[in-house]
Every structure is written in C-alpha cells, then in structure tokens.
Amino acid sequence: EDQVTQSPEALRLQEGESSSLNCSYTVSGLRGLFWYRQDPGKGPEFLFTLYSAGEEKEKERLKATLTKKESFLHITAPKPEDSATYLCAVDSGAGSYQLTFGKGTKLSVIP
Amino acid sequence: DTAVSQTPKYLVTQMGNDKSIKCEQNLGHDTMYWYKQDSKKFLKIMFSYNNKELIINETVPNRFSPKSPDKAHLNLHINSLELGDSAVYFCASSQDETGPRGYTFGSGTRLTVV
C-alpha cells in the first residue's frame, strides 16, 4: 500500500526566512510525485510534478526536488501570500491516476 | 470560465436524509474523481469514473453512489446520511494516462450532517 508522510505538520516562518517541507513516500513503483497548494475553503491547486530522482522544478519562490525516498519543497524568502497548506501526493497505479495524498504541511508566513 | 465546478458549495442536512452533489468539468478530461477531506484535512479517494465506467471504488459505504450521465459530469449521491459523513467533498478530473499536471480540483462542497 502506498504511503505518504509529510513533515512538519505545521510551520511558522518570518517573512524572508527560507525553509523546506518534507514528503517521504513508500510506493511499489513511482509514476509521479505531485505538489499541490491548498488555500482555506478551496480545492488543491497544482504546483509541480516530479518523475525521477534528481529532478528539480522551480516556480517563483518554490523549488521541488526528488530523491528515491522523499521530496522536498524549498521556500526561499517566503512572503505572507505563500501561507497555505502544501500537499504531496504520489501516483503509482496502472491506468488512470490514483493519487495517494499526505496530510499536508500548513505553512504560515508572518510579516 | 471554471474548469471543475461543484454544486452546492455548502450543504446542511439532517441525519437520515438523501442528498446529491453535482460536478461538471469543461476540460475534456477522460477521468473524474470524488475525494473526501475529513476534519484532519486528509484527502482520501472515494471513486473515479473513466468513460462512464467505475474504475476505483475504495472501502466506501454502499450509501454513497457515483453517477455519471456523460464524460463531463460525475454526481455523488448519498443515502441515509450519518453524522460521520460530515466533511468536505472534492470533485476532480484528469487526462487519463497523460498530463503531468495531475488532477484539477473543484472548490469543494462542505457537507454538514446534524
């Protein structure tokens, strides 16, 4: 059974204070690892897909990296608008996407 | 132009009632899903439909039934609602087999059973 564990559960940062979120996973065969952002009262919004170890993706202040056992979401010089819950999910199924989600990391960036 | 739309956004109902949540996508995706997000914010898949065929059905009570009149719609019917059904239900869609963007989610329906 696929498992996704995210840490920490919650993270408070001062504006400009860089940090990383962790997503460790156990799957039979990784077809893709996804990062989503979820704002209160809204559905998750796609950020990145990573397919193989060593791959990196960047978007503004966010950078996602992937190893064989975990993924990191690095946040550089965060701003208050980066506050949200960040969800990690893996797809290991044959056929249609069958995403297994972690419980998320709630990020709060304080001005 | 909303990609995945769900209605209603909020639903408050009494125990024992039967209710439906509607979902529509205009992305031309092949597969649609229903996810449940509980009070701990954990997203768990309930169902998915691909070309009108149910292809995932996790351990969900029989009181829940998905219905897809066509490729763009996947509705969720819930019979004999229970207190434990209170949660946020998300509809999502994806391009089957391809598409590096994973799912596109709707904005959710917050169901409260009293």
Side-chain angles (χ1 to χ4, degrees), chain A residues 53-66:
Chain A
E55 188 174 1
E56 298 182 352
K57 294 274 180 73
E58 283 189 72
K59 180 180 180 180
E60 296 181 353
R61 295 176 293 282
L62 300 176
K63 181 170 123 177
T65 61
L66 181 65

Side-chain angles (χ1 to χ4, degrees), chain A residues 4 31 34 36 38 40-51 57 59 85 87 93-104, chain B residues 9 31 33 35 37 40-45 48 50 55-56 58 90 94-108 110:
Chain A
V4 178
R31 191 164 73 166
F34 300 83
Y36 287 84
Q38 186 174 22
K42 296 188 177 181
E45 178 187 347
F46 171 82
L47 292 173
F48 303 108
T49 308
L50 301 166
Y51 293 105
K57 294 274 180 73
K59 180 180 180 180
T85 295
L87 299 168
S96 298
Y97 284 106
Q98 301 178 24
L99 295 188
T100 300
F101 281 85
K103 293 186 178 182
Chain B
K9 187 168 179 62
T31 308
Y33 309 82
Y35 270 80
Q37 189 170 45
K40 296 183 178 181
K41 308 297 184 185
F42 199 15
L43 269 168
K44 290 187 177 180
I45 191 165
S48 72
N50 178 291
I55 57 173
I56 299 176
E58 298 292 317
F90 286 98
S94 72
Q95 188 67 44
D96 195 30
E97 293 292 350
T98 63
R101 298 180 64 85
Y103 294 172
T104 301
F105 282 87
S107 58
R110 181 173 294 277

Side-chain angles (χ1 to χ4, degrees), chain B residues 3-4 13 22 32 62-64 68 78 88 94 112-113:
Chain B
V4 180
T13 187
K22 295 185 177 181
M32 296 183 70
N62 292 337
R63 300 180 294 102
F64 291 79
S68 180
I78 315 170
V88 181
S94 72
T112 304
V113 182

Side-chain angles (χ1 to χ4, degrees), chain A residues 4 14 18-19 21-24 27-29 33 36 38 41 45 51 59 61 73 78-80 92 98 103 110:
Chain A
V4 178
Q14 291 292 322
S18 302
S19 188
L21 313 182
N22 177 264
C23 170
S24 61
V27 297
S28 54
L33 183 141
Y36 287 84
Q38 186 174 22
E45 178 187 347
Y51 293 105
K59 180 180 180 180
R61 295 176 293 282
L73 185 65
K79 298 181 178 181
S92 65
Q98 301 178 24
K103 293 186 178 182
I110 313 303

Side-chain angles (χ1 to χ4, degrees), chain B:
Chain B
D1 194 21
T2 304
V4 180
S5 59
Q6 298 178 227
T7 55
K9 187 168 179 62
Y10 299 97
L11 182 56
V12 181
T13 187
Q14 290 187 328
M15 283 177 57
N17 283 351
D18 302 336
K19 290 293 179 184
S20 295
I21 306 172
K22 295 185 177 181
C23 179
E24 175 182 5
Q25 57 98 0
N26 62 5
L27 298 166
H29 284 170
D30 295 323
T31 308
M32 296 183 70
Y33 309 82
W34 278 105
Y35 270 80
K36 178 180 179 180
Q37 189 170 45
D38 59 25
S39 58
K40 296 183 178 181
K41 308 297 184 185
F42 199 15
L43 269 168
K44 290 187 177 180
I45 191 165
M46 299 177 71
F47 303 105
S48 72
Y49 253 76
N50 178 291
N51 293 325
K52 296 191 179 183
E53 288 188 60
L54 181 66
I55 57 173
I56 299 176
N57 189 344
E58 298 292 317
T59 54
V60 174
N62 292 337
R63 300 180 294 102
F64 291 79
S65 58
K67 287 186 169 51
S68 180
D70 55 56
K71 196 173 94 166
H73 296 84
L74 182 64
N75 302 324
L76 183 64
H77 297 270
I78 315 170
N79 295 325
S80 302
L81 278 156
E82 300 177 357
L83 293 176
D85 298 332
S86 296
V88 181
Y89 292 84
F90 286 98
C91 177
S93 69
S94 72
Q95 188 67 44
D96 195 30
E97 293 292 350
T98 63
R101 298 180 64 85
Y103 294 172
T104 301
F105 282 87
S107 58
T109 296
R110 181 173 294 277
L111 171 65
T112 304
V113 182
V114 298

Side-chain angles (χ1 to χ4, degrees), chain A residues 64-78:
Chain A
T65 61
L66 181 65
T67 72
K68 288 186 177 180
K69 293 184 177 181
E70 57 191 350
S71 176
F72 292 93
L73 185 65
H74 307 277
I75 304 175
T76 302

